[in-house]
Amino acid sequence: MTLRGKAGVYAGAAVLRLLLTVAFPGLPDLLTGRVEISTPVTSFKRLQEGLFLYNHNVWPYDGGVYHQAPLLLPLFSLLPSVKTWPIFTSLLYIIVDFLSADALCTIANSGEAGQSRLFTSPRRAKRACGLAVAAAFLFNPFTIASCIGRSTSIFTTCAILHAISKAIQGSAFNAMIALSFASYLSMYPILLLPPLVLLSFDRQPEARRTASAVAFGAKCVAITAVCLGLLLGMSFVLTGNSWEFLSRTYGIQLTLSDLTPNVGLWWYFFIEMFDSFRAFFLAVFWLHLAAYVGGLTIRLRTQPLAVLTLLLGIFSIFKPYPSIADASLFLAMLPLFRHVFPLMRYTYVASATLLYATFLGPAFYHLWIYAGSGNANFFYAITLVWSLGQSLLVTDLTFAVLRDEWEVERPDMIGKEVKQI
């Protein structure tokens, strides 16, 4: 990866984003209002509402519109007004995308996907170039739409990628700090803690390697807890010495009290749910989301990066308020496993399904909301297709990773078809 090539890719990505913003002045506001990009917990319009209240010394959670982390408010209050000088906000989002791409480069160039401490893939030579992985992320239409639409999900994406990058570099402390920021912003990244701890443990520098995995894990958990405590303490002070912000931010995700449509599976289900069963099914849905962490971490202990990638794919399907920014994060991690692509069986079907849902999703939403010729089933049906496409990719990658591992254990089965009876 040459410095000139990297500068060219980054410059092209920045020019494309700025060109779309300048050539189509109404595009940022249009994308900001799309349910595929903005959710109640990541919407830039809702952030502007909270920022207006914050700048006028009113509690930002009054009115029940703003549901995001309190510390985002002082950050955005430093920027000039988005109506007068939108370029500064656009530049901030572009810089965050570049930071995410940098972390992806580091992850790809480490070769961790093909060769970890406990597992070496026979196909590891087919490794994706770091610059190619970064370019695939920066020029992904989902990433571009999230950036121009100014979804705050990109801050979570950046923090998650830096957590993985720092873990691979052997800096467990910085990895846990980055994960704490991601968890503070969106809550769900805390579920990535077990595989991230294992990845950090495996990539420790030999000079200061901790022998006990339990002691190392306890240290990482303590760092994460302290950092989260500090962030929540700062939020407590910022919101007028009140802990009520917890129910307005994380409580919204836990209880799904805002049923604004999105590309996920929760909103329609709970619109139709009787109130007497609501608490039970909320617990079931959250348990289902968290249940994958332990099983995947234990089964794929030798490949913690694969666990992190699969979990990001699962979260983009089953979290309460998903958006295309979550899908773009999973798709950004997918090229790291280029060496197992030949083992994947349903790539074409999954890709076609995602494209089908991408193009028909906005049309079905328009038929429901604006044309009045459809109902909520129109849009929910296409979100089910979207989730199906992602599910195919996640399960296919899981099969490929397990098949690759199995062929190392059973060399005599290389190239042979396997059927479960």
Side-chain angles (χ1 to χ4, degrees):
M1 180 177 65
T2 64
L3 187 60
R4 180 178 297 179
K6 185 176 181 180
V9 168
Y10 282 28
V15 168
L16 177 60
R17 285 159 169 76
L18 291 174
L19 186 62
L20 288 171
T21 303
V22 173
F24 306 98
L27 185 60
D29 288 335
L30 173 66
L31 293 178
T32 299
R34 296 300 308 178
V35 294
E36 300 90 348
I37 297 171
S38 298
T39 69
V41 293
T42 63
S43 170
F44 184 73
K45 283 186 176 179
R46 292 177 181 244
L47 175 62
Q48 290 299 107
E49 174 72 18
L51 190 60
F52 177 84
L53 297 176
Y54 172 76
N55 288 333
H56 288 79
N57 297 318
V58 179
W59 198 58
Y61 297 97
D62 277 349
V65 174
Y66 181 65
H67 301 306
Q68 300 173 50
L71 293 183
L72 287 174
L73 297 173
L75 169 64
F76 278 89
S77 67
L78 297 174
L79 298 174
S81 171
V82 70
K83 291 184 178 179
T84 310
W85 298 99
I87 187 67
F88 289 100
T89 303
S90 298
L91 288 174
L92 172 64
Y93 277 81
I94 290 171
I95 290 170
V96 174
D97 267 359
F98 287 174
L99 292 173
S100 300
D102 255 348
L104 267 173
C105 271
T106 303
I107 297 168
N109 291 330
S110 69
E112 174 70 19
Q115 183 172 6
S116 62
R117 184 174 73 94
L118 300 175
F119 176 77
T120 300
S121 170
R123 301 174 174 84
R124 65 189 179 281
K126 294 181 179 178
R127 194 170 78 182
C129 167
L131 185 59
V133 173
F137 170 75
L138 289 173
F139 290 97
N140 185 333
F142 297 152
T143 309
I144 296 172
S146 299
C147 179
I148 297 176
R150 299 165 296 191
S151 167
T152 54
S153 292
I154 73 164
F155 295 98
T156 306
T157 295
C158 184
I160 290 173
L161 289 174
H162 275 275
I164 298 172
S165 170
K166 294 300 180 184
I168 284 176
Q169 291 175 334
S171 178
F173 179 82
N174 289 333
M176 296 306 124
I177 296 295
L179 184 67
S180 300
F181 273 93
S183 304
Y184 169 75
L185 292 172
S186 297
M187 191 174 76
Y188 80 90
I190 196 65
L191 296 173
L192 299 173
L193 182 60
L196 193 68
V197 168
L198 291 178
L199 180 60
S200 302
F201 180 76
D202 289 348
R203 300 286 295 198
Q204 291 177 89
E206 291 297 332
R208 45 193 178 88
R209 174 170 288 278
T210 303
S212 170
V214 175
F216 184 85
K219 178 183 174 182
C220 289
V221 170
I223 293 170
T224 306
V226 170
C227 185
L228 272 175
L230 289 173
L231 290 171
L232 293 175
M234 292 166 65
S235 302
F236 171 78
V237 174
L238 186 69
T239 54
N241 297 330
S242 169
W243 291 111
E244 197 174 343
F245 76 91
L246 293 173
S247 63
R248 302 298 181 91
T249 52
Y250 312 117
I252 293 296
Q253 298 186 55
L254 287 172
T255 61
L256 206 80
S257 53
D258 191 318
L259 292 172
T260 302
N262 54 68
V263 297
L265 303 173
W266 292 44
W267 64 274
Y268 185 81
F269 187 88
F270 284 96
I271 283 176
E272 302 294 330
M273 178 61 58
F274 291 112
D275 286 343
S276 55
F277 297 105
R278 204 172 192 279
F280 170 75
F281 278 99
L282 276 171
V284 170
F285 272 53
W286 272 108
L287 182 62
H288 173 257
L289 183 66
Y292 291 97
V293 179
L296 283 173
T297 304
I298 294 170
R299 177 60 186 84
L300 292 172
R301 163 65 186 96
T302 58
Q303 302 183 67
L305 184 61
V307 178
L308 288 164
T309 303
L310 293 171
L311 286 177
L312 289 174
I314 290 167
F315 294 159
S316 72
I317 304 168
F318 296 116
K319 62 181 283 196
Y321 294 107
S323 68
I324 61 173
D326 301 296
S328 76
L329 175 56
F330 171 59
L331 294 175
M333 296 290 287
L334 201 58
L336 300 175
F337 296 88
R338 177 175 174 268
H339 60 286
V340 297
F341 280 4
L343 299 175
M344 296 175 70
R345 302 165 295 175
Y346 307 116
T347 310
Y348 172 76
V349 177
S351 303
T353 304
L354 289 175
L355 285 173
Y356 175 85
T358 300
F359 287 113
L360 284 186
F364 280 23
Y365 186 77
H366 179 83
L367 287 173
W368 171 31
I369 299 296
Y370 300 105
S373 57
N375 54 30
N377 292 317
F378 271 58
F379 184 64
Y380 189 61
I382 204 65
T383 62
L384 290 177
V385 176
W386 169 258
S387 298
L388 172 64
Q390 292 187 88
S391 300
L392 285 172
L393 274 181
V394 171
T395 52
D396 212 13
L397 179 61
T398 306
F399 170 82
V401 169
L402 290 173
R403 173 78 198 219
D404 188 48
E405 182 184 276
W406 186 65
E407 287 185 359
V408 172
E409 299 171 0
R410 296 282 304 275
D412 55 305
M413 299 300 293
I414 294 176
K416 295 182 179 179
E417 186 179 356
V418 178
K419 291 183 179 179
Q420 185 176 2
I421 300 176

